[in-house]
Amino acid sequence: DIIRTIRDPEKPNTLEELEVVTESCVEVHEIGEDEYLVIIRFTPTVPHCSLATLIGLCLRIKLQRCLPFRHKLEIYISEGTHSTEEDINKQINDKERVAAAMENPNLREIVEQCVTEPD
């Protein structure tokens, strides 16, 4: 429910409407007392999607802000659905790269537009 309303950076649709994320792409595993591992596997609309890293960043930021419990978060591109999935997976799961990306005012503004709930 948290990620279904994230908007695509290029289109007026949500990631759920574009089937970039579905309920079946989310896994939650208990890894300790009151601590969970959340794994998201998303599917870009095309194998060469230039915004796949940005979509992964939006998923991470939205979940970090909204999950009401302690968690470890892993976000991946669904296997075989993007031409540079390994590189993108490394970027969106690297805390330092994510922090650096969110320091960029232009990128931060795009992420905010994508993750802000519609009225």
Side-chain angles (χ1 to χ4, degrees):
D1 286 342
I2 292 172
I3 61 174
R4 74 178 344 142
T5 59
I6 296 173
R7 285 186 292 288
D8 183 89
E10 285 185 315
K11 300 178 173 89
N13 306 80
T14 66
L15 297 183
E16 182 182 48
E17 290 167 345
L18 296 169
E19 297 182 355
V20 172
V21 295
T22 62
E23 194 169 334
S24 64
C25 79
V26 179
E27 295 176 37
V28 180
H29 305 279
E30 191 167 4
I31 56 174
E33 192 173 321
D34 296 324
E35 189 169 7
Y36 297 87
L37 168 62
V38 178
I39 302 171
I40 308 288
R41 288 185 173 79
F42 71 98
T43 304
T45 53
V46 290
H48 54 277
C49 176
S50 61
L51 297 175
T53 306
L54 180 57
I55 290 169
L57 182 61
C58 290
L59 290 166
R60 176 168 297 283
I61 296 303
K62 181 80 174 206
L63 287 165
Q64 284 176 341
R65 290 178 181 175
C66 296
L67 286 178
F69 48 80
R70 287 190 0 201
H71 61 278
K72 180 175 181 343
L73 188 55
E74 295 179 5
I75 299 173
Y76 304 105
I77 290 183
S78 299
E79 197 172 324
T81 63
H82 197 279
S83 55
T84 61
E85 69 187 69
E86 262 185 57
D87 293 335
I88 293 171
N89 288 342
K90 283 180 189 172
Q91 282 185 302
I92 58 181
N93 288 294
D94 182 316
K95 288 179 184 172
E96 290 176 11
R97 288 184 183 186
V98 168
M102 290 306 289
E103 287 177 12
N104 177 316
N106 297 329
L107 203 49
R108 187 173 56 242
E109 185 178 338
I110 293 169
V111 169
E112 292 299 339
Q113 289 172 1
C114 293
V115 303
T116 301
E117 290 293 324
D119 292 332

